[in-house]
């Protein structure tokens, strides 16, 4: 009660000082006692749960300013053999250096205007329905910008996929899915070439089917111990995320693997949730007034979040060149129209070369071996579950015609 009285007095003194002139507004300090911090924290925690990037990445302490400077090791010390004794043995000098990487806090915001009449007549908690969708939208925007550069702010660094591609840390899905991921030239090996160990994966949801359909030489599923238990999606002991907020772009990457401790982010905690019953809402593009909350008997929910991120990628002894060092690697789909492999056929038949634009007939598939049909299906993204050749062909053609 006393706090509210103090606020009223402050506002009254402000009005006396300004003489009630037009354009006078209540500042953030004036209304600080009315800002609901509990709701703000609730939204931030919800966004972390909804965003694959914020779940898997390493959260730094909250930012206290618009920029967060992070010292990163940029030069390693070098040791030398002395080669001699006494006065002739001169010990050489070495040095270390650190670079500063800067995390820039950028704002994500949205306003949801609603008629007061709708709120009064609603038979359920309307804001309870709106807030989860806002949280999901925030998560989608963060994941899209960090992973693929979608609408990323100008101050933010290159996205994860672009960073990996520039470092040459990219693998095109071949006829053998296992080799493309876990083999000597697979995505995990690409990360290890930069002296990092993979501790997580993010993948398009279609990768679940590809992994379930992966079988060993005896025809047994690699990722399922039995048909009753749920499938645990891990690769080389590292967990997988399958973002379902619409941010994962399968045209750019089927899977991103890496050391996610190198994806560092910080939240600049600010007012993130507030309800207004006065003010105007303009079209950001044209400036046209869309709603006058007081005149239209409306209220508006405003959600705001500010955060930034970086990839520290400190120097290491194996790969001193930072342009060739990347803690992430990308598995991408084969490009349409590109020849990727020749598949074995039955004796007397010509080998069949797969191109992304090809379609196959039952007759062509019948002339191929079972292993070749399965390999071809893997490249095209089909899931083969059958074991009899005729059923395999039927399953292949069914997915081809979808």
């Amino acid at each position: 009660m006393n706090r509210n009285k103090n606020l009223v007095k402050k506002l009254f003194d402000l009005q006396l000082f300004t003489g009630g002139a037009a354009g006078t507004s209540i500042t953030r300090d004036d209304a600080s006692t009315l800002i609901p911090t509990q709701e703000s924290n609730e939204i931030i925690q919800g966004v972390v749960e909804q965003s694959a990037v914020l779940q898997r990445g390493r959260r730094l302490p909250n930012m206290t300013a618009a920029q967060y400077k992070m010292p990163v090791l940029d030069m390693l010390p070098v040791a030398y053999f002395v080669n001699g004794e006494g006065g002739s043995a001169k010990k050489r000098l070495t040095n270390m250096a650190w670079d500063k990487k800067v995390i820039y806090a950028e704002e994500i915001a949205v306003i949801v205007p609603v008629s007061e009449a709708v709120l009064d007549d609603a038979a359920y908690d309307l804001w309870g329905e709106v807030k989860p969708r806002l949280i999901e939208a925030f998560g989608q925007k963060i994941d899209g910008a960090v992973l693929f550069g979608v609408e990323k702010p100008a101050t933010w660094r290159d996205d994860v996929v672009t960073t990996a591609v520039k470092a040459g840390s990219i693998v095109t899905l071949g006829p053998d899915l296992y080799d493309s991921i876990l083999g000597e030239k697979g995505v995990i090996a690409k990360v290890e070439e930069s002296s990092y160990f993979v501790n997580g994966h993010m993948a398009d949801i279609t990768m679940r089917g590809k992994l379930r359909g992966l079988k060993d030489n005896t025809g047994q599923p690699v990722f399922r111990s039995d048909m009753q238990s749920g499938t645990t999606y891990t690769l080389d002991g590292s967990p997988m995320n399958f973002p379902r907020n619409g941010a994962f772009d399968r045209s750019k990457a089927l899977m991103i693997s890496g050391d996610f401790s190198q994806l560092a982010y910080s939240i600049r905690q600010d007012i993130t949730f507030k309800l207004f019953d006065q003010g105007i809402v303009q079209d950001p593009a044209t400036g046209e007034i869309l709603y006058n909350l007081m005149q239209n008997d409306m209220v508006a929910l405003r959600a705001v979040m500010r955060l930034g991120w970086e990839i520290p990628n400190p120097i290491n002894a194996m790969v001193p060149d930072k342009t060739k060092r990347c803690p992430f690697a990308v598995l991408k789909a084969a490009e349409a129209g590109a020849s990727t492999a020749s598949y074995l056929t039955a004796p007397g038949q010509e080998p069949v070369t797969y191109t992304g634009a090809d379609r196959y007939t039952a007759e062509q598939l019948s002339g191929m071996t079972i292993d070749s049909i399965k390999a071809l299906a893997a490249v095209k993204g089909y899931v083969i579950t059958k074991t009899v050749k005729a059923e395999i062909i039927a399953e292949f053609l069914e997915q081809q015609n979808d």
Side-chain angles (χ1 to χ4, degrees), residues 140 143-145 147-150 159 161 202-207 242-256 330-333:
Q140 180 189 40
D143 289 359
L147 297 179
F148 301 102
V150 178
D159 57 272
V161 170
M202 290 185 194
D204 183 68
I205 199 168
T206 58
M207 284 295 294
F242 300 93
R244 291 190 294 165
N245 57 16
F248 209 94
D249 187 349
R250 73 183 68 168
S251 68
K252 295 181 178 179
L254 291 174
M255 187 173 72
I256 300 170
V330 171
L331 177 68
K332 70 168 188 174

Side-chain angles (χ1 to χ4, degrees), residues 56 188 197-201 232-241 258:
R56 186 63 60 201
I188 293 177
F197 289 128
V198 171
N199 62 13
H201 312 267
T232 301
Y233 291 93
T234 61
L235 291 173
D236 198 31
S238 301
M240 299 187 71
N241 284 75

Side-chain angles (χ1 to χ4, degrees), residues 108-128:
I108 303 172
V110 69
I111 297 174
V112 183
V114 181
S115 167
E116 290 185 2
V118 172
L119 287 174
D120 292 339
D121 295 341
Y124 50 86
D125 179 9
L126 187 61
W127 294 131

